């Protein structure tokens, strides 16, 4: 029997507002966001659930639920100790799972 469940890399899309925020970032912010994007789309679980599940992430990114009452809802990827972030949702559709970035910020 083969594993027919979708595997990474995941599809990723941006809301129009998040894409505009990304495009307005300085070059160093865009590079870090793109590096975080690469981590998220290749992760077995983009929500990094479990104890020490994000231990394999680079030291400059942490992932957590946006609201502790909604662990399966939107998540935030904090970048560079809070200099920026991505807010995203992982939709577990059977045929085409997808990450959607709804907010991007860089100081």
């Amino acid at each position: 029997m083969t594993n027919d469940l979708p595997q990474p890399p995941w599809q990723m899309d941006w809301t129009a507002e998040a894409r505009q925020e990304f495009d307005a970032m300085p070059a160093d912010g865009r590079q870090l966001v793109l590096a975080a994007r690469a981590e998220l789309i290749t992760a077995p679980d983009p929500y990094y659930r479990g104890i020490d599940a994000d231990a394999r992430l680079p030291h400059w990114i942490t992932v957590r639920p946006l609201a502790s009452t909604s662990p399966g809802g939107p998540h935030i990827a904090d970048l560079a100790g809070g200099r920026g972030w991505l807010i995203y949702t992982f939709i577990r559709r059977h045929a085409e799972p997808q990450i959607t970035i709804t907010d991007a910020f860089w100081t």
Side-chain angles (χ1 to χ4, degrees), residues 55-67:
R56 70 174 202 84
L57 287 173
H59 69 281
W60 50 266
I61 183 174
T62 58
V63 173
R64 61 183 168 80
L66 195 56

Side-chain angles (χ1 to χ4, degrees), residues 32-56:
L32 207 55
V33 166
L34 291 175
R37 177 191 181 278
E39 293 291 334
L40 293 173
I41 67 170
T42 59
D45 184 345
Y47 280 173
Y48 295 93
R49 294 189 179 104
I51 298 171
D52 294 330
D54 64 354
R56 70 174 202 84

